[in-house]
Amino acid sequence: MNEARIKQAYDIAVERYAELGIDVEKVLEKLQKVEISMHCWQADDVNGFESSGDLTGGIQTTGNYPGKARNIEELRADILKASSLIPGRQRLNLHEIYGDFGGKFVDRDEVEPKHFESWMQWGAENGMKLDFNTTSFSHPKSGDLSLSNPDKAIRDFWIEHSKRCRAIAEEMGRRQGDPCIMNLWVHDGSKDITVNRMKYRELLKDSLDQIFAQKYDNMKDCIESKVFGIGLESYTVGSNDFYIGYGAKNNKIVTLDTGHFHPTESVADKLSSLLLYVPEVMLHVSRPVRWDSDHVTIMNDETLDLMQEIVRCDALDRVHIGLDYFDASINRLGAYIIGTRATQKCLLRAMLEPLAQLREYEANGQGFERLALLEEAKALPWNAVWDMFCLRNNVPVGEAFIADVQQYEKDVTSKR
Ligand code: RNT
Ligand code: ZN
Protein backbone atom coordinates (compact mmCIF):
# COMPACT_ATOMS: atom_id res chain seq x y z
CA MET A 1 0.00 0.00 0.00
CA ASN A 2 1.14 3.49 -0.80
CA GLU A 3 1.75 5.20 2.53
CA ALA A 4 1.81 8.68 1.09
CA ARG A 5 -1.62 8.15 -0.44
CA ILE A 6 -3.02 6.83 2.83
CA LYS A 7 -1.75 9.93 4.62
CA GLN A 8 -3.12 12.21 1.96
CA ALA A 9 -6.54 10.60 2.13
CA TYR A 10 -6.40 10.80 5.90
CA ASP A 11 -5.64 14.52 5.88
CA ILE A 12 -8.60 15.15 3.61
CA ALA A 13 -10.81 13.06 5.88
CA VAL A 14 -9.64 14.95 8.95
CA GLU A 15 -10.65 18.22 7.28
CA ARG A 16 -14.01 16.87 6.17
CA TYR A 17 -14.83 15.60 9.68
CA ALA A 18 -13.67 18.90 11.18
CA GLU A 19 -16.39 20.60 9.15
CA LEU A 20 -18.84 18.54 11.19
CA GLY A 21 -17.11 19.33 14.47
CA ILE A 22 -15.41 15.95 14.81
CA ASP A 23 -11.83 15.67 16.05
CA VAL A 24 -10.52 12.60 14.25
CA GLU A 25 -7.28 12.40 16.23
CA LYS A 26 -9.27 12.19 19.45
CA VAL A 27 -11.41 9.46 17.95
CA LEU A 28 -8.33 7.44 17.04
CA GLU A 29 -6.98 7.86 20.54
CA LYS A 30 -10.22 6.50 21.94
CA LEU A 31 -10.37 3.60 19.52
CA GLN A 32 -6.81 2.65 20.40
CA LYS A 33 -7.87 2.01 23.99
CA VAL A 34 -10.79 -0.27 23.24
CA GLU A 35 -10.05 -3.93 23.83
CA ILE A 36 -11.87 -6.53 21.80
CA SER A 37 -12.09 -9.90 23.52
CA MET A 38 -11.33 -12.51 20.88
CA HIS A 39 -12.90 -15.91 21.47
CA CYS A 40 -10.36 -18.73 21.44
CA TRP A 41 -12.83 -21.23 20.02
CA GLN A 42 -12.90 -20.12 16.36
CA ALA A 43 -9.41 -21.58 15.96
CA ASP A 44 -10.42 -25.18 16.61
CA ASP A 45 -14.19 -25.41 16.08
CA VAL A 46 -14.94 -25.32 19.84
CA ASN A 47 -13.05 -28.56 20.52
CA GLY A 48 -10.78 -27.58 23.39
CA PHE A 49 -8.09 -29.78 24.89
CA GLU A 50 -9.99 -31.78 27.43
CA SER A 51 -11.29 -34.65 25.35
CA SER A 52 -11.86 -35.54 21.73
CA GLY A 53 -15.59 -36.09 22.13
CA ASP A 54 -18.35 -34.50 20.06
CA LEU A 55 -19.44 -30.89 20.39
CA THR A 56 -22.77 -30.95 22.25
CA GLY A 57 -25.01 -28.49 24.06
CA GLY A 58 -27.04 -27.25 21.12
CA ILE A 59 -24.15 -25.59 19.33
CA GLN A 60 -22.62 -26.79 16.09
CA THR A 61 -19.79 -25.99 13.77
CA THR A 62 -20.34 -26.79 10.14
CA GLY A 63 -17.59 -27.24 7.58
CA ASN A 64 -14.28 -29.05 7.52
CA TYR A 65 -11.83 -26.53 6.18
CA PRO A 66 -8.34 -27.90 6.77
CA GLY A 67 -5.89 -26.50 9.29
CA LYS A 68 -7.70 -26.19 12.57
CA ALA A 69 -5.58 -25.87 15.71
CA ARG A 70 -5.03 -29.30 17.25
CA ASN A 71 -3.25 -28.39 20.43
CA ILE A 72 -2.43 -25.52 22.70
CA GLU A 73 0.72 -24.51 20.80
CA GLU A 74 -1.10 -24.32 17.48
CA LEU A 75 -3.95 -22.38 19.01
CA ARG A 76 -1.59 -19.87 20.57
CA ALA A 77 0.33 -19.46 17.34
CA ASP A 78 -2.90 -18.85 15.41
CA ILE A 79 -4.16 -16.29 17.91
CA LEU A 80 -0.89 -14.38 17.84
CA LYS A 81 -0.80 -14.47 14.06
CA ALA A 82 -4.39 -13.21 13.84
CA SER A 83 -3.64 -10.52 16.40
CA SER A 84 -0.66 -9.35 14.37
CA LEU A 85 -3.02 -8.58 11.49
CA ILE A 86 -5.57 -6.70 13.59
CA PRO A 87 -5.09 -3.12 14.77
CA GLY A 88 -5.80 -1.94 18.31
CA ARG A 89 -5.90 -4.14 21.37
CA GLN A 90 -7.27 -7.62 21.88
CA ARG A 91 -7.94 -9.80 24.86
CA LEU A 92 -8.35 -13.56 24.67
CA ASN A 93 -11.51 -15.24 25.87
CA LEU A 94 -10.91 -18.82 27.02
CA HIS A 95 -13.31 -21.63 27.75
CA GLU A 96 -12.55 -24.01 30.58
CA ILE A 97 -11.92 -26.88 28.15
CA TYR A 98 -8.89 -25.00 26.80
CA GLY A 99 -6.87 -25.57 29.96
CA ASP A 100 -3.28 -26.78 29.87
CA PHE A 101 -4.04 -30.22 31.29
CA GLY A 102 -0.63 -31.70 30.54
CA GLY A 103 -2.00 -34.77 28.79
CA LYS A 104 -4.07 -35.83 31.81
CA PHE A 105 -7.84 -35.94 32.00
CA VAL A 106 -8.96 -33.28 34.43
CA ASP A 107 -12.69 -33.43 35.00
CA ARG A 108 -14.72 -30.23 35.12
CA ASP A 109 -15.20 -30.46 38.88
CA GLU A 110 -11.45 -30.77 39.42
CA VAL A 111 -10.15 -27.84 37.40
CA GLU A 112 -7.87 -25.37 39.18
CA PRO A 113 -5.99 -22.15 38.46
CA LYS A 114 -2.84 -24.21 37.93
CA HIS A 115 -4.36 -25.60 34.73
CA PHE A 116 -4.29 -22.07 33.38
CA GLU A 117 -0.88 -21.16 34.70
CA SER A 118 0.74 -21.38 31.27
CA TRP A 119 -2.07 -19.34 29.75
CA MET A 120 -1.56 -16.60 32.33
CA GLN A 121 2.15 -16.55 31.57
CA TRP A 122 1.48 -16.51 27.85
CA GLY A 123 -1.00 -13.67 28.28
CA ALA A 124 1.49 -11.62 30.26
CA GLU A 125 4.27 -12.25 27.76
CA ASN A 126 2.12 -11.30 24.81
CA GLY A 127 0.25 -8.39 26.34
CA MET A 128 -3.06 -10.16 26.06
CA LYS A 129 -5.43 -10.10 29.00
CA LEU A 130 -7.63 -13.11 29.52
CA ASP A 131 -11.36 -13.58 29.92
CA PHE A 132 -12.98 -16.84 30.88
CA ASN A 133 -16.04 -19.09 30.48
CA THR A 134 -17.54 -22.02 32.30
CA THR A 135 -18.11 -24.96 29.95
CA SER A 136 -21.29 -26.98 30.32
CA PHE A 137 -21.25 -28.62 26.89
CA SER A 138 -19.34 -31.56 25.37
CA HIS A 139 -19.20 -33.67 28.52
CA PRO A 140 -20.85 -36.99 29.49
CA LYS A 141 -22.77 -35.14 32.24
CA SER A 142 -23.96 -32.34 29.93
CA GLY A 143 -27.21 -33.98 28.87
CA ASP A 144 -30.00 -31.48 28.29
CA LEU A 145 -29.76 -29.99 31.77
CA SER A 146 -26.73 -28.97 33.79
CA LEU A 147 -27.22 -26.25 36.42
CA SER A 148 -30.96 -26.84 36.28
CA ASN A 149 -30.83 -30.61 36.54
CA PRO A 150 -33.24 -32.12 39.11
CA ASP A 151 -30.64 -34.84 39.72
CA LYS A 152 -28.73 -33.40 42.65
CA ALA A 153 -25.47 -35.17 41.83
CA ILE A 154 -25.39 -33.73 38.32
CA ARG A 155 -26.42 -30.26 39.39
CA ASP A 156 -23.82 -30.23 42.17
CA PHE A 157 -21.18 -31.30 39.68
CA TRP A 158 -21.88 -28.26 37.51
CA ILE A 159 -22.15 -25.95 40.51
CA GLU A 160 -18.72 -27.11 41.62
CA HIS A 161 -17.40 -26.59 38.08
CA SER A 162 -18.75 -23.05 37.94
CA LYS A 163 -17.35 -22.16 41.36
CA ARG A 164 -13.94 -23.40 40.31
CA CYS A 165 -14.12 -21.42 37.09
CA ARG A 166 -14.76 -18.26 39.10
CA ALA A 167 -11.69 -18.98 41.21
CA ILE A 168 -9.65 -19.36 38.02
CA ALA A 169 -11.03 -16.10 36.63
CA GLU A 170 -10.20 -14.38 39.90
CA GLU A 171 -6.60 -15.55 39.63
CA MET A 172 -6.38 -14.42 36.00
CA GLY A 173 -7.75 -11.02 36.93
CA ARG A 174 -5.41 -10.65 39.87
CA ARG A 175 -2.39 -11.53 37.81
CA GLN A 176 -3.22 -9.27 34.89
CA GLY A 177 -4.20 -6.37 37.12
CA ASP A 178 -7.50 -6.03 35.32
CA PRO A 179 -10.72 -7.89 36.02
CA CYS A 180 -11.22 -11.11 34.10
CA ILE A 181 -14.74 -11.22 32.71
CA MET A 182 -16.23 -14.66 33.31
CA ASN A 183 -19.20 -15.59 31.23
CA LEU A 184 -21.68 -18.19 32.31
CA TRP A 185 -23.77 -19.70 29.59
CA VAL A 186 -25.40 -23.08 30.03
CA HIS A 187 -27.18 -24.89 27.25
CA ASP A 188 -30.00 -26.17 29.48
CA GLY A 189 -33.22 -26.69 27.61
CA SER A 190 -35.55 -29.10 25.98
CA LYS A 191 -36.29 -30.27 22.47
CA ASP A 192 -39.98 -30.63 22.99
CA ILE A 193 -42.90 -29.27 24.96
CA THR A 194 -41.92 -28.80 28.56
CA VAL A 195 -44.51 -28.99 31.32
CA ASN A 196 -42.36 -28.02 34.25
CA ARG A 197 -40.70 -24.84 33.06
CA MET A 198 -40.84 -23.20 36.45
CA LYS A 199 -39.04 -26.01 38.19
CA TYR A 200 -35.90 -25.91 36.05
CA ARG A 201 -35.75 -22.13 36.29
CA GLU A 202 -36.02 -22.34 40.07
CA LEU A 203 -33.16 -24.79 40.06
CA LEU A 204 -31.03 -22.61 37.79
CA LYS A 205 -31.68 -19.60 39.99
CA ASP A 206 -30.69 -21.53 43.09
CA SER A 207 -27.55 -22.82 41.38
CA LEU A 208 -26.53 -19.30 40.42
CA ASP A 209 -27.12 -18.10 43.99
CA GLN A 210 -24.78 -20.81 45.24
CA ILE A 211 -22.17 -20.14 42.57
CA PHE A 212 -22.13 -16.39 43.12
CA ALA A 213 -22.15 -16.57 46.94
CA GLN A 214 -18.40 -16.09 47.09
CA LYS A 215 -17.37 -12.48 46.46
CA TYR A 216 -14.31 -11.72 44.36
CA ASP A 217 -12.48 -8.50 43.52
CA ASN A 218 -10.58 -9.40 40.37
CA MET A 219 -13.21 -11.07 38.25
CA LYS A 220 -16.62 -10.02 36.99
CA ASP A 221 -19.52 -12.38 36.36
CA CYS A 222 -21.71 -12.18 33.34
CA ILE A 223 -24.69 -14.31 32.40
CA GLU A 224 -25.77 -15.14 28.86
CA SER A 225 -29.22 -16.03 27.59
CA LYS A 226 -30.29 -17.68 24.37
CA VAL A 227 -33.45 -18.19 22.34
CA PHE A 228 -32.91 -21.85 21.55
CA GLY A 229 -30.22 -24.42 20.92
CA ILE A 230 -30.06 -27.02 18.18
CA GLY A 231 -31.96 -30.04 19.47
CA LEU A 232 -33.26 -27.89 22.33
CA GLU A 233 -35.77 -25.87 20.36
CA SER A 234 -38.82 -25.72 22.60
CA TYR A 235 -37.51 -24.44 25.89
CA THR A 236 -34.41 -22.62 27.09
CA VAL A 237 -34.07 -22.49 30.86
CA GLY A 238 -31.74 -19.49 30.73
CA SER A 239 -33.94 -17.32 28.55
CA ASN A 240 -33.52 -13.59 28.07
CA ASP A 241 -36.20 -12.78 30.68
CA PHE A 242 -34.59 -15.14 33.14
CA TYR A 243 -31.16 -13.54 33.00
CA ILE A 244 -32.38 -9.96 32.72
CA GLY A 245 -34.33 -10.58 35.91
CA TYR A 246 -31.43 -12.26 37.61
CA GLY A 247 -28.93 -9.66 36.49
CA ALA A 248 -31.06 -6.69 37.48
CA LYS A 249 -31.82 -8.14 40.88
CA ASN A 250 -28.32 -9.34 41.66
CA ASN A 251 -26.27 -6.68 39.95
CA LYS A 252 -24.68 -9.01 37.45
CA ILE A 253 -23.34 -8.16 34.03
CA VAL A 254 -25.69 -9.35 31.32
CA THR A 255 -24.21 -10.80 28.15
CA LEU A 256 -25.97 -9.99 24.91
CA ASP A 257 -25.07 -12.41 22.16
CA THR A 258 -26.26 -10.84 18.93
CA GLY A 259 -27.18 -14.28 17.61
CA HIS A 260 -29.47 -15.08 20.51
CA PHE A 261 -32.56 -13.10 19.73
CA HIS A 262 -35.46 -13.23 17.36
CA PRO A 263 -34.39 -12.14 13.88
CA THR A 264 -36.18 -8.79 13.81
CA GLU A 265 -35.34 -7.89 17.40
CA SER A 266 -32.79 -5.08 17.70
CA VAL A 267 -30.02 -6.02 20.10
CA ALA A 268 -28.69 -2.47 19.88
CA ASP A 269 -31.90 -1.10 21.33
CA LYS A 270 -31.46 -3.21 24.46
CA LEU A 271 -28.40 -1.31 25.66
CA SER A 272 -30.04 1.89 26.80
CA SER A 273 -32.57 -0.09 28.83
CA LEU A 274 -30.22 -2.64 30.30
CA LEU A 275 -27.61 -0.10 31.31
CA LEU A 276 -30.15 1.53 33.60
CA TYR A 277 -30.56 -1.66 35.59
CA VAL A 278 -27.38 -3.71 35.38
CA PRO A 279 -23.86 -2.48 36.11
CA GLU A 280 -22.28 -3.41 32.81
CA VAL A 281 -23.00 -5.33 29.64
CA MET A 282 -20.90 -7.93 27.88
CA LEU A 283 -21.35 -8.41 24.14
CA HIS A 284 -20.90 -11.53 22.08
CA VAL A 285 -20.78 -9.99 18.63
CA SER A 286 -21.80 -12.55 16.05
CA ARG A 287 -23.95 -12.80 12.92
CA PRO A 288 -27.12 -14.84 12.95
CA VAL A 289 -28.11 -16.41 9.64
CA ARG A 290 -31.46 -18.25 9.66
CA TRP A 291 -31.05 -21.03 12.25
CA ASP A 292 -27.39 -20.38 12.97
CA SER A 293 -26.38 -17.81 15.54
CA ASP A 294 -22.67 -17.93 14.86
CA HIS A 295 -21.60 -16.81 11.38
CA VAL A 296 -18.51 -14.61 11.13
CA THR A 297 -19.18 -11.04 12.21
CA ILE A 298 -19.21 -8.51 9.37
CA MET A 299 -19.91 -4.84 9.00
CA ASN A 300 -23.66 -5.09 8.62
CA ASP A 301 -26.40 -2.82 9.89
CA GLU A 302 -26.80 -4.85 13.07
CA THR A 303 -23.15 -4.59 14.09
CA LEU A 304 -23.08 -0.93 13.18
CA ASP A 305 -26.28 -0.21 15.11
CA LEU A 306 -24.82 -1.93 18.13
CA MET A 307 -21.57 0.02 18.11
CA GLN A 308 -23.48 3.24 17.49
CA GLU A 309 -25.62 2.59 20.52
CA ILE A 310 -22.56 2.05 22.72
CA VAL A 311 -21.20 5.41 21.61
CA ARG A 312 -24.55 7.18 21.73
CA CYS A 313 -25.08 5.88 25.29
CA ASP A 314 -21.56 7.06 26.13
CA ALA A 315 -21.09 3.59 27.56
CA LEU A 316 -17.70 2.47 26.27
CA ASP A 317 -16.55 1.99 29.85
CA ARG A 318 -19.57 -0.14 30.75
CA VAL A 319 -19.86 -2.33 27.68
CA HIS A 320 -17.32 -5.07 27.09
CA ILE A 321 -16.95 -6.12 23.49
CA GLY A 322 -16.32 -9.78 22.85
CA LEU A 323 -16.75 -11.93 19.78
CA ASP A 324 -18.51 -15.25 19.50
CA TYR A 325 -18.75 -17.10 16.23
CA PHE A 326 -17.37 -20.25 14.72
CA ASP A 327 -17.08 -21.04 11.06
CA ALA A 328 -15.32 -24.27 10.13
CA SER A 329 -15.86 -23.80 6.41
CA ILE A 330 -13.31 -21.07 5.72
CA ASN A 331 -9.78 -20.25 6.80
CA ARG A 332 -10.17 -19.89 10.56
CA LEU A 333 -7.45 -17.31 10.96
CA GLY A 334 -9.16 -15.26 8.28
CA ALA A 335 -12.43 -15.58 10.19
CA TYR A 336 -10.84 -13.99 13.26
CA ILE A 337 -9.41 -11.13 11.27
CA ILE A 338 -12.57 -10.38 9.33
CA GLY A 339 -14.77 -10.42 12.42
CA THR A 340 -12.50 -8.42 14.69
CA ARG A 341 -11.69 -5.81 12.09
CA ALA A 342 -15.36 -5.52 11.15
CA THR A 343 -16.27 -4.86 14.78
CA GLN A 344 -13.56 -2.22 15.07
CA LYS A 345 -14.61 -0.60 11.81
CA CYS A 346 -18.18 -0.35 13.04
CA LEU A 347 -16.98 1.14 16.30
CA LEU A 348 -14.85 3.66 14.43
CA ARG A 349 -17.77 4.64 12.24
CA ALA A 350 -19.87 5.05 15.35
CA MET A 351 -17.25 7.28 16.95
CA LEU A 352 -17.09 9.41 13.82
CA GLU A 353 -20.81 10.10 13.81
CA PRO A 354 -21.74 13.81 13.86
CA LEU A 355 -23.70 13.17 17.02
CA ALA A 356 -23.89 16.70 18.38
CA GLN A 357 -25.46 18.02 15.19
CA LEU A 358 -27.81 15.05 14.92
CA ARG A 359 -28.96 15.56 18.49
CA GLU A 360 -29.55 19.22 17.91
CA TYR A 361 -31.78 18.40 14.96
CA GLU A 362 -33.63 15.86 17.04
CA ALA A 363 -34.15 18.26 19.91
CA ASN A 364 -35.53 20.83 17.50
CA GLY A 365 -37.93 18.37 15.94
CA GLN A 366 -36.06 18.62 12.63
CA GLY A 367 -36.78 15.12 11.41
CA PHE A 368 -35.82 15.73 7.80
CA GLU A 369 -32.48 17.22 8.76
CA ARG A 370 -31.69 14.38 11.14
CA LEU A 371 -32.45 11.73 8.53
CA ALA A 372 -30.56 13.59 5.82
CA LEU A 373 -27.41 13.86 7.92
CA LEU A 374 -27.66 10.23 9.02
CA GLU A 375 -27.78 9.26 5.36
CA GLU A 376 -24.90 11.50 4.35
CA ALA A 377 -22.84 10.33 7.33
CA LYS A 378 -22.81 6.84 5.87
CA ALA A 379 -20.66 8.08 3.01
CA LEU A 380 -18.22 10.19 5.03
CA PRO A 381 -14.58 9.14 4.51
CA TRP A 382 -14.33 6.91 7.58
CA ASN A 383 -12.37 4.42 5.50
CA ALA A 384 -9.40 6.81 5.21
CA VAL A 385 -9.40 7.03 9.02
CA TRP A 386 -9.54 3.25 9.30
CA ASP A 387 -6.58 2.89 6.96
CA MET A 388 -4.59 5.33 9.08
CA PHE A 389 -5.54 3.37 12.21
CA CYS A 390 -4.15 0.21 10.60
CA LEU A 391 -1.03 1.99 9.38
CA ARG A 392 -0.27 3.43 12.80
CA ASN A 393 -0.77 0.02 14.35
CA ASN A 394 1.63 -1.57 11.89
CA VAL A 395 -0.92 -3.99 10.52
CA PRO A 396 -1.92 -4.50 6.89
CA VAL A 397 -4.09 -1.78 5.39
CA GLY A 398 -7.23 -2.75 3.51
CA GLU A 399 -7.35 -6.18 1.92
CA ALA A 400 -3.58 -6.66 2.21
CA PHE A 401 -4.09 -9.12 5.06
CA ILE A 402 -5.49 -11.66 2.60
CA ALA A 403 -1.97 -12.35 1.35
CA ASP A 404 -0.67 -12.75 4.91
CA VAL A 405 -3.36 -15.27 5.71
CA GLN A 406 -2.63 -17.16 2.51
CA GLN A 407 1.06 -17.23 3.35
CA TYR A 408 0.39 -18.52 6.86
CA GLU A 409 -1.88 -21.15 5.40
CA LYS A 410 0.84 -22.24 3.01
CA ASP A 411 3.56 -22.30 5.68
CA VAL A 412 1.63 -23.45 8.71
CA THR A 413 -2.04 -24.46 8.73
CA SER A 414 -2.03 -26.49 5.49
CA LYS A 415 0.62 -28.76 7.03
CA ARG A 416 -1.56 -29.79 9.95
C1 RNT B 1 -23.79 -20.44 22.70
C2 RNT B 1 -23.29 -19.22 23.37
C3 RNT B 1 -21.94 -19.33 23.98
C4 RNT B 1 -21.02 -20.15 23.14
C5 RNT B 1 -19.59 -20.11 23.58
C6 RNT B 1 -18.83 -21.26 23.02
O1 RNT B 1 -24.93 -20.25 21.99
O2 RNT B 1 -23.32 -18.16 22.48
O3 RNT B 1 -21.44 -18.07 24.25
O4 RNT B 1 -21.06 -19.77 21.81
O5 RNT B 1 -19.53 -20.01 24.93
ZN1 ZN C 1 -22.33 -16.33 23.00
Side-chain angles (χ1 to χ4, degrees):
M1 292 276 161
N2 182 329
E3 265 193 49
R5 208 193 53 224
I6 293 167
K7 286 182 179 145
Q8 220 183 352
Y10 176 73
D11 289 342
I12 295 170
V14 168
E15 272 181 41
R16 176 67 182 102
Y17 279 109
E19 287 173 5
L20 289 157
I22 297 162
D23 184 337
V24 173
E25 279 296 327
K26 270 211 185 114
V27 166
L28 283 185
E29 251 170 59
K30 252 202 214 167
L31 187 63
Q32 194 68 47
K33 291 190 190 128
V34 178
E35 297 175 331
I36 308 280
S37 191
M38 264 173 30
H39 53 313
C40 74
W41 50 93
Q42 163 65 59
D44 75 334
D45 309 343
V46 211
N47 277 326
F49 312 123
E50 177 204 73
S51 73
S52 49
D54 289 340
L55 176 59
T56 69
I59 50 179
Q60 250 176 29
T61 50
T62 48
N64 54 0
Y65 196 83
K68 73 174 168 197
R70 295 163 302 180
N71 52 51
I72 214 162
E73 290 75 30
E74 290 180 354
L75 187 111
R76 285 176 184 162
D78 290 359
I79 295 291
L80 289 181
K81 183 69 193 176
S83 176
S84 76
L85 301 170
I86 299 168
R89 290 160 68 179
Q90 294 95 51
R91 303 167 72 97
L92 183 67
N93 194 7
L94 290 170
H95 251 284
E96 185 271 348
I97 50 174
Y98 288 79
D100 191 349
F101 302 120
K104 276 193 302 207
F105 176 71
V106 177
D107 212 346
R108 310 263 172 108
D109 62 343
E110 296 166 348
V111 68
E112 292 177 51
K114 70 174 185 205
H115 300 116
F116 289 85
E117 177 61 36
S118 72
W119 273 117
M120 291 186 258
Q121 276 174 26
W122 178 88
E125 278 160 23
N126 294 288
M128 224 183 248
K129 292 173 197 153
L130 304 175
D131 292 319
F132 202 52
N133 295 261
T134 59
T135 309
S136 69
F137 50 84
S138 306
H139 185 277
K141 290 197 171 80
S142 295
D144 287 350
L145 300 171
S146 62
L147 288 177
S148 64
N149 203 309
D151 181 330
K152 187 173 183 311
I154 294 193
R155 187 161 78 100
D156 285 348
F157 174 86
W158 292 111
I159 291 173
E160 180 63 23
H161 167 71
S162 310
K163 286 182 176 172
R164 283 170 176 262
C165 285
R166 289 183 82 232
I168 294 166
E170 170 68 10
E171 182 59 12
M172 288 176 171
R174 192 184 67 76
R175 296 264 290 266
Q176 66 201 18
D178 189 56
C180 168
I181 313 285
M182 196 200 81
N183 189 52
L184 187 148
W185 166 72
V186 291
H187 60 279
D188 296 34
S190 157
K191 180 183 172 82
D192 220 328
I193 300 165
T194 308
V195 295
N196 217 345
R197 290 173 178 252
M198 185 68 153
K199 175 177 175 169
Y200 309 114
R201 291 195 168 127
E202 277 169 0
L203 288 168
L204 178 55
K205 177 175 178 289
D206 179 73
S207 295
L208 295 179
D209 288 346
Q210 291 186 46
I211 293 163
F212 297 143
Q214 165 93 40
K215 300 283 166 244
Y216 286 120
D217 295 329
N218 298 295
M219 61 86 63
K220 292 181 178 180
D221 297 295
C222 49
I223 45 183
E224 180 184 7
S225 71
K226 188 165 181 170
V227 178
F228 73 93
I230 300 162
L232 303 165
E233 291 86 358
S234 295
Y235 169 65
T236 304
V237 186
S239 61
N240 182 46
D241 314 70
F242 177 90
Y243 282 123
I244 300 273
Y246 194 91
K249 195 166 175 189
N250 299 287
N251 226 25
K252 291 290 172 197
I253 302 179
V254 167
T255 301
L256 295 176
D257 184 311
T258 58
H260 289 190
F261 295 88
H262 293 282
T264 60
E265 214 174 333
S266 162
V267 180
D269 184 45
K270 296 176 188 302
L271 284 183
S272 51
S273 296
L274 266 181
L275 286 169
L276 294 177
Y277 302 106
V278 299
E280 291 164 55
V281 167
M282 172 77 204
L283 296 177
H284 276 186
V285 187
S286 180
R287 175 169 49 115
V289 177
R290 301 195 188 280
W291 57 268
D292 177 45
S293 66
D294 298 295
H295 274 53
V296 179
T297 299
I298 56 170
M299 183 201 277
N300 53 12
D301 286 351
E302 288 76 14
T303 314
L304 193 54
D305 286 350
L306 187 60
M307 296 303 133
Q308 276 171 341
E309 269 308 305
I310 301 176
V311 174
R312 291 174 187 173
C313 293
D314 195 17
L316 263 169
D317 54 341
R318 291 176 66 202
V319 178
H320 306 275
I321 307 174
L323 305 172
D324 180 15
Y325 53 80
F326 21 98
D327 189 337
S329 75
I330 60 171
N331 183 297
R332 293 171 184 79
L333 194 81
Y336 273 125
I337 300 163
I338 292 168
T340 315
R341 286 173 67 123
T343 306
Q344 292 170 312
K345 278 188 226 166
C346 289
L347 187 56
L348 171 64
R349 283 184 65 178
M351 288 173 166
L352 288 170
E353 189 174 60
L355 197 52
Q357 178 69 71
L358 286 165
R359 284 194 166 148
E360 199 182 313
Y361 287 145
E362 184 166 298
N364 295 336
Q366 293 171 284
F368 149 69
E369 290 83 349
R370 181 184 58 190
L371 191 58
L373 186 54
L374 279 169
E375 276 302 286
E376 288 305 312
K378 290 176 183 169
L380 286 173
W382 60 267
N383 179 259
V385 182
W386 169 252
D387 285 352
M388 180 53 85
F389 186 60
C390 291
L391 192 67
R392 287 188 186 169
N393 277 276
N394 282 318
V395 303
V397 174
E399 72 283 8
F401 71 88
I402 296 174
D404 293 271
V405 173
Q406 287 172 332
Q407 191 63 45
Y408 188 75
E409 174 162 60
K410 195 162 163 259
D411 297 343
V412 182
T413 50
S414 67
K415 296 190 175 139
R416 289 179 183 162

